[in-house]
Amino acid sequence: MEKLVIEFIKHIRQYSTLSNEAENAIVALARNETLAKGTILSKEGKTCKHLYFLKSGTVRTYFYQDGKDITHWIYPKNNMVTSWHSYLSQTPSKDYIETTEISEVISLTYTQWQELYTTFPELERFGRLLIEEQMALIDDFYKGYYFLSAKEKYQLLIKAIPNITQIANLGHIASMLGISQETLSRARK
Amino acid sequence: MEKLVIEFIKHIRQYSTLSNEAENAIVALARNETLAKGTILSKEGKTCKHLYFLKSGTVRTYFYQDGKDITHWIYPKNNMVTSWHSYLSQTPSKDYIETTEISEVISLTYTQWQELYTTFPELERFGRLLIEEQMALIDDFYKGYYFLSAKEKYQLLIKAIPNITQIANLGHIASMLGISQETLSRARK
DNA sequence: TGTTATTTTTGACTTATGTCAAAATCTACT
DNA sequence: AGTAGATTTTGACATAAGTCAAAAATAACA
């Protein structure tokens, strides 16, 4: 089990150089979990308190709009996952986060991170670079998005998450792209 | 002119406590400019090197898709502005940034910020909080966006930028929302 | 291996929004 | 104030994508 945290440390090291003290602090605080398929990590109305590192498995974030289940994003393994708006502003979430297959996650809470940021500047750097990366991805992905046809949207997603068809079903992918399942089915031919 | 930098310092102070040394460093590096309407701050193909604080005026970011001018976002005064993907990754931009009226901006370069981050932890905190705020805004704004009707999209924008009709014309707003100008014109009645 | 459940595809029809073009309104400058 | 330019609105029509429903394909499981 402890091995999982080491994977997370390795991940952080890709962003910022870690002192031994910072590493020890993270190892001491991090929670390791192996989660069954369908586990809910965060739900609507609750403030998302955790920032997760998904070591293995797949996670889907979704919300309900007019009673319909809309996929927000699908996260393959080795990604940082949370309900960004809720986590960053510590206000109630509109999202659900669920595992769509058996998954291993390492997590710390928002409060723990705030303390780590103050104590270890190199972790504050990690925090900054992490969000910057997410921001750059989003800024790029959605540029001109709504002027694309259903087919072009699908192609863009394939480029962003090549194995998306292996880790998510059509309905989830379609709602993530903002198109109907039927249209997506027709588009990919 | 120097007064402008003070406004920027005030802005930073809303995010992080500044030491005198950090404040002096920013004052020494910051560039103040008053820009005529239509000034291009960054263009397609070039790497966006500056992070701007828009003290007064209005800025529009846009790009070309199939030869059409698509507005990415409109920034009212007192906002931090840059071409996020290009600035954060220091790679060539797809965006243009232009003032749509006479504007005052204070700016530092990406390189300057990297040095400031390393020297002053409180500025690294500012950098982190700034990008976190942007991220939370985007995450919230676009949630379920493409399942909204033209009218609902417009209402969402009004909520995000109440004075948008004063600072941008219909065509710019429409392309920003991903709808045609005609549809927007009909929707807002 | 047969049966049931789930997911994906296909078909028929509807609709919101796009496109092109012209008219109307607003804005700015001499 | 009057003219030219830019912006917004209106009209007519085309079309991509939505919806509802059923069939086909795939996966799950006894």
Side-chain angles (χ1 to χ4, degrees):
Chain A
M1 263 300 178
E2 277 300 309
K3 272 177 62 187
L4 273 186
V5 181
I6 303 305
E7 296 297 324
F8 182 38
I9 297 286
K10 275 189 200 163
H11 185 74
I12 298 177
R13 285 231 164 85
Q14 296 177 351
Y15 294 83
S16 180
T17 312
L18 285 194
S19 63
N20 286 333
E21 292 74 28
E23 177 173 339
N24 291 338
I26 288 176
V27 170
L29 294 171
R31 186 179 71 181
N32 296 262
E33 291 169 292
T34 300
L35 305 169
K37 171 178 177 174
T39 303
I40 302 289
L41 293 173
S42 180
K43 51 168 60 174
E44 186 180 2
K46 303 269 184 184
T47 297
C48 183
K49 300 214 180 314
H50 292 266
L51 177 60
Y52 299 93
F53 174 65
L54 179 65
K55 183 49 206 157
S56 70
T58 307
V59 163
R60 178 174 82 101
T61 58
Y62 63 101
F63 57 95
Y64 288 98
Q65 189 171 59
D66 307 322
K68 282 187 183 170
D69 171 327
I70 312 285
T71 296
H72 195 185
W73 197 258
I74 306 280
Y75 295 85
K77 65 179 180 179
N78 292 318
N79 272 285
M80 298 301 298
V81 180
T82 190
S83 176
W84 290 107
H85 180 83
S86 172
Y87 174 80
L88 293 175
S89 64
Q90 286 294 289
T91 57
S93 183
K94 295 174 188 164
D95 288 327
Y96 289 80
I97 304 180
E98 69 159 17
T99 56
T100 58
E101 57 178 322
I102 183 170
S103 303
E104 294 171 300
V105 299
I106 298 100
S107 63
L108 279 82
T109 66
Y110 180 84
T111 313
Q112 289 172 333
W113 276 116
Q114 299 318 303
E115 287 169 12
L116 290 171
Y117 287 158
T118 300
T119 315
F120 304 103
E122 69 263 42
L123 288 181
E124 180 128 44
R125 168 151 303 182
F126 165 67
R128 174 175 64 82
L129 292 173
L130 175 69
I131 306 288
E132 285 186 358
E133 187 183 51
Q134 300 290 323
M135 181 74 186
L137 278 174
I138 288 189
D139 186 60
D140 199 43
F141 187 84
Y142 287 110
K143 201 183 299 300
Y145 187 80
Y146 8 82
F147 291 100
L148 301 178
S149 66
K151 189 172 204 162
E152 291 170 317
K153 287 176 185 171
Y154 183 62
Q155 288 166 342
L156 192 62
L157 179 60
I158 293 292
K159 220 168 63 181
I161 313 179
N163 64 332
I164 188 70
T165 50
Q166 273 83 62
I167 64 176
N169 68 34
L170 252 207
H172 291 162
I173 296 172
S175 69
M176 180 176 170
L177 292 174
I179 60 186
S180 74
Q181 174 168 328
E182 295 91 331
T183 297
L184 178 56
S185 173
R186 287 172 177 124
R188 63 171 193 190
K189 280 186 313 183
Chain B
M1 262 304 176
E2 277 300 310
K3 271 178 62 187
L4 272 187
V5 181
I6 302 304
E7 296 297 325
F8 182 37
I9 297 285
K10 275 189 200 164
H11 185 74
I12 298 177
R13 284 231 164 85
Q14 295 177 351
Y15 294 82
S16 180
T17 312
L18 284 195
S19 63
N20 287 334
E21 292 74 28
E23 177 173 339
N24 292 339
I26 289 176
V27 171
L29 295 171
R31 186 179 72 180
N32 296 261
E33 292 169 290
T34 300
L35 305 169
K37 172 179 176 173
T39 304
I40 301 289
L41 293 172
S42 180
K43 52 169 57 172
E44 187 181 359
K46 303 267 185 186
T47 298
C48 183
K49 301 215 178 312
H50 293 265
L51 177 61
Y52 298 93
F53 175 64
L54 178 65
K55 183 49 206 157
S56 70
T58 306
V59 164
R60 178 174 81 101
T61 59
Y62 63 100
F63 57 96
Y64 288 98
Q65 189 171 59
D66 306 322
K68 283 186 182 172
D69 172 326
I70 311 286
T71 297
H72 195 186
W73 199 255
I74 306 281
Y75 295 85
K77 65 178 180 181
N78 293 317
N79 271 287
M80 299 300 299
V81 180
T82 190
S83 176
W84 290 107
H85 180 84
S86 173
Y87 174 80
L88 293 175
S89 64
Q90 285 295 290
T91 56
S93 182
K94 295 172 188 167
D95 287 327
Y96 290 80
I97 304 180
E98 68 159 17
T99 56
T100 58
E101 58 179 321
I102 183 169
S103 303
E104 294 171 300
V105 298
I106 298 100
S107 63
L108 279 83
T109 67
Y110 180 85
T111 312
Q112 290 172 333
W113 275 116
Q114 300 317 304
E115 286 170 11
L116 289 171
Y117 288 158
T118 299
T119 315
F120 304 104
E122 69 264 42
L123 287 181
E124 179 126 44
R125 169 152 302 185
F126 165 67
R128 174 175 64 83
L129 293 172
L130 174 69
I131 199 77
E132 284 185 359
E133 187 182 50
Q134 300 291 323
M135 180 75 189
L137 278 174
I138 287 191
D139 185 60
D140 199 44
F141 186 84
Y142 288 109
K143 201 181 299 299
Y145 187 80
Y146 9 80
F147 291 100
L148 301 177
S149 66
K151 188 172 205 162
E152 291 170 317
K153 287 175 185 171
Y154 183 61
Q155 289 166 342
L156 190 64
L157 179 60
I158 293 292
K159 221 169 61 182
I161 313 179
N163 64 332
I164 188 70
T165 50
Q166 273 82 63
I167 64 175
N169 68 35
L170 251 208
H172 291 163
I173 296 173
S175 69
M176 181 177 169
L177 292 174
I179 59 185
S180 73
Q181 173 167 328
E182 295 90 332
T183 298
L184 178 56
S185 173
R186 287 171 177 123
R188 63 172 193 190
K189 281 185 315 183

